[in-house]
Amino acid sequence: MKFASAAWLAMSLAAGSMICSCSSSDDNDEPNNPVNQEPEVTYKGNVAYSDGILFEDGTQLGNGTQNFHFTGDVTLTKGTYTLKGWVYVDEGAKLYIPAGTIIKGDKQTMAALIIEPGGYCEMRGTASEPIVMTSAQAAGQRKPGDWGGLIICGKGLNNQTTQQIEGGPTTIHGGSNEADNSGIYQYIRVEFAGYPFETDKEINGITFGSVGSGTTVDHLQVSYSNDDSFEWFGGSVNCSYLVAYKGWDDEFDTDNGFSGTVQYCLSIRDPRIADTSQSNGFESDNNASGAETTPFTTATFKNVTFIGPMTDANTDFVNSSDYITAGSVYPNNGSKLGKFQAAMQIRRSSQLNCKNILAIGYPIGIIVDGEKGNTVGYANSGLFSVDNVWFANMGVIGSDKNKEYEDYLYDYSTGTEDPTQESFSHTWFLSNPNNKVVEESLLGLVDICNAGQKFATSTTLSDGNGGYIGAFKDSSDNWLSGWTNFDPQNTAY
């Protein structure tokens, strides 16, 4: 393994009141700053290849182009780096990023870190020293989409065999190895990602493409992403302890046969930020056309809390362009604002399974969307389940149509509607006696992390089977402690 020395930058990490159970201070002494020789770069056409990844005296990751492919085996020294351009960790390459490292994404070069199928990256942060990938803009000037994001790809299964990853990079992901291992990703924050390299073609905060179950993923926070906070395209990776904070589009988006289990997730929305495509908590497709191709999207989400825009703390909320303006974080980069839609939209032949979910304050609770594919048929046949899901402060419990905010029966197969009957989505949801509709005021919510919203239950909401509803067992169950940050705009990195 090659160890690359780096010039450490003096770093002061502000431990503002919005950092949950403040991390310990960084022990960044000024080390010696040896003269670093630039890595040798070879070109095939306009594509750059190098077994080194550090440039500019060891402070820059990548050479600043959109076609830089890292082919070596490098362990970074803990410190602060600027990520420039699209840095691909190629098949056979290994990159190790230690706890406490800060990576600042460069806006001008649309910086992104992309783990290619067969590439390997270890990002082992800790609760006291998370790894932070954030905007290179100064505190107070950061916006959604300041840089690209983190993309992890593998050789796992998807229902398109292979496909190009969303967002612009050339990566083709997918294969036949369900247990494929793309690395270890623990205690990481990704902030202000989602650069739109073309209109409506943003990179997500964190994207998973055919990532196999051999990959370790836990304790990740995505804040102010300019697209989805988390999105999975196929794969079977299991994930836990995920936080989606004030994203632009959907929170947890699943496509193309993703089959992993995702447990313990928190989503908190900014009521003034929603996407033109209509923002959802869950958005789940089998594929874009709704074709019944295998493997199906059968992911299971358990113990999730959604805090939408219509909570008791946001009584002035209006689901319109007059209100949804993005305020001071509007990026003016071509990204379009829209409306909030549903806590859960299951569509296009998806078989998403949801268990022990607490969702509060969306215009719509659930859409079992029959416009494309056979999701309604699967719901009737019991091929997926929504169990022990509690709704509070919803505008309506269900809708049968995308971008339709009224709760009435609509049948896509016949094109008929009946405004005298409740939607199929509504009646199907409540046909399970474990699902409930309650008032937020009865949940005993508290803000255990100074996040500006109440989200944890003060006492346990039992599911009747020894488990509990939502992401937190009670107010003492603070798995956010130490590594999360709910005020990344004002943190000095």
Side-chain angles (χ1 to χ4, degrees):
M1 182 184 300
K2 181 196 300 181
F3 286 81
S5 60
W8 285 18
L9 303 179
M11 179 180 69
S12 173
L13 180 60
S17 63
M18 299 293 279
I19 296 180
C20 193
S21 296
C22 308
S23 302
S24 61
S25 61
D26 295 296
D27 298 320
N28 262 5
D29 298 321
E30 284 288 341
N32 294 326
N33 182 21
V35 176
N36 289 283
Q37 184 176 351
E38 294 283 290
E40 181 179 349
V41 178
T42 60
Y43 285 85
K44 294 181 181 179
N46 67 341
V47 180
Y49 295 88
S50 177
D51 65 1
I53 197 171
L54 292 172
F55 294 80
E56 296 294 327
D57 292 331
T59 65
Q60 176 180 308
L61 299 176
N63 71 346
T65 70
Q66 263 59 61
N67 298 293
F68 178 80
H69 287 252
F70 166 63
T71 61
D73 185 339
V74 168
T75 297
L76 301 182
T77 303
K78 173 188 168 182
T80 300
Y81 301 88
T82 299
L83 175 68
K84 288 195 174 183
W86 290 354
V87 175
Y88 295 84
V89 178
D90 269 14
E91 181 169 11
K94 296 180 180 180
L95 177 62
Y96 299 84
I97 302 175
T101 296
I102 310 294
I103 297 173
K104 297 181 178 182
D106 178 61
K107 187 172 185 177
Q108 184 175 0
T109 59
M110 302 178 285
L113 180 62
I114 304 137
I115 315 305
E116 292 273 85
Y120 185 87
C121 184
E122 284 192 12
M123 302 178 68
R124 292 181 184 242
T126 66
S128 60
E129 289 191 298
I131 294 167
V132 181
M133 304 183 75
T134 192
S135 168
Q137 301 299 106
Q141 300 176 24
R142 299 165 185 150
K143 311 284 186 184
D146 273 351
W147 63 289
L150 175 61
I151 299 173
I152 307 165
C153 292
K155 297 183 178 182
L157 302 175
N158 69 69
N159 58 30
Q160 306 297 297
T161 307
T162 59
Q163 61 184 138
Q164 184 173 341
I165 196 65
E166 182 181 73
T170 57
T171 303
I172 304 297
H173 62 91
S176 59
N177 184 3
E178 189 171 4
D180 192 38
N181 184 357
S182 296
I184 298 172
Y185 305 87
Q186 295 177 305
Y187 293 101
I188 303 167
R189 298 203 304 262
V190 174
E191 303 166 351
F192 302 100
Y195 191 101
F197 83 104
E198 291 181 21
T199 301
D200 296 329
K201 291 187 178 181
E202 302 90 352
I203 297 174
N204 300 300
I206 300 180
T207 306
F208 301 91
S210 303
V211 177
S213 61
T215 308
T216 300
V217 176
D218 61 80
H219 295 90
L220 309 181
Q221 180 180 17
V222 174
S223 300
Y224 290 102
S225 172
N226 203 190
D227 195 29
D228 299 330
S229 293
F230 297 88
E231 185 160 10
W232 294 260
F233 295 92
S236 55
V237 63
N238 299 314
C239 307
S240 58
Y241 301 106
L242 307 183
V243 180
Y245 184 62
K246 296 191 175 183
W248 196 273
D249 195 3
D250 306 314
E251 310 293 59
F252 307 105
D253 195 335
T254 50
D255 304 273
N256 297 122
F258 175 49
S259 62
T261 296
V262 183
Q263 188 169 18
Y264 309 119
C265 303
L266 171 65
S267 158
I268 298 177
R269 295 298 305 219
D270 184 325
R272 295 189 182 272
I273 301 176
D275 189 63
T276 184
S277 66
Q278 315 289 301
S279 295
N280 303 293
F282 290 136
E283 183 177 272
S284 186
D285 303 346
N286 194 48
N287 52 54
S289 69
E292 297 177 72
T293 52
T294 59
F296 281 94
T297 298
T298 56
T300 298
F301 281 80
K302 300 190 291 186
N303 295 104
V304 180
T305 295
F306 289 107
I307 304 298
M310 297 168 51
T311 66
D312 288 347
N314 300 321
T315 56
D316 65 334
F317 173 77
V318 180
N319 204 18
S320 74
S321 59
D322 292 335
Y323 187 92
I324 300 173
T325 63
S328 63
V329 296
Y330 181 67
N332 197 27
N333 61 8
S335 296
K336 299 175 183 177
L337 291 160
K339 294 182 178 181
F340 286 94
Q341 186 170 242
M344 308 166 68
Q345 184 178 27
I346 307 172
R347 62 182 189 176
R348 300 176 182 175
S349 297
S350 171
Q351 298 177 18
L352 185 74
N353 296 283
C354 307
K355 185 177 180 64
N356 291 22
I357 311 295
L358 177 61
I360 303 168
Y362 269 82
I364 303 167
I366 185 170
I367 305 174
V368 181
D369 190 335
E371 182 177 8
K372 297 179 181 180
N374 195 27
T375 296
V376 172
Y378 299 152
N380 280 322
S381 301
L383 290 178
F384 69 93
S385 67
V386 171
D387 184 47
N388 273 308
V389 176
W390 290 25
F391 287 162
N393 287 31
M394 298 298 176
V396 296
I397 295 173
S399 172
D400 291 339
K401 294 177 68 176
N402 188 44
K403 301 182 181 180
E404 174 58 65
Y405 292 81
E406 296 185 33
D407 194 337
Y408 64 87
L409 184 65
Y410 184 84
D411 187 339
Y412 271 105
S413 63
T414 62
T416 58
E417 61 185 46
D418 185 348
T420 68
Q421 295 191 55
E422 293 166 338
S423 66
F424 167 80
S425 303
H426 177 144
T427 55
W428 180 76
F429 175 78
L430 289 182
S431 68
N432 183 337
N434 294 329
N435 297 334
K436 300 182 185 299
V437 178
V438 300
E439 295 296 325
E440 180 184 346
S441 59
L442 300 178
L443 296 172
L445 298 180
V446 292
D447 181 358
I448 58 175
C449 234
N450 294 322
Q453 283 281 3
K454 297 178 180 180
F455 56 87
T457 56
S458 54
T459 57
T460 302
L461 300 179
S462 173
D463 67 356
N465 295 304
Y468 56 90
I469 308 299
F472 305 90
K473 183 176 182 180
D474 54 39
S475 58
S476 68
D477 180 24
N478 188 1
W479 49 262
L480 303 166
S481 180
W483 64 279
T484 56
N485 184 353
F486 294 98
D487 188 18
Q489 178 65 272
N490 297 304
T491 302
Y493 291 115

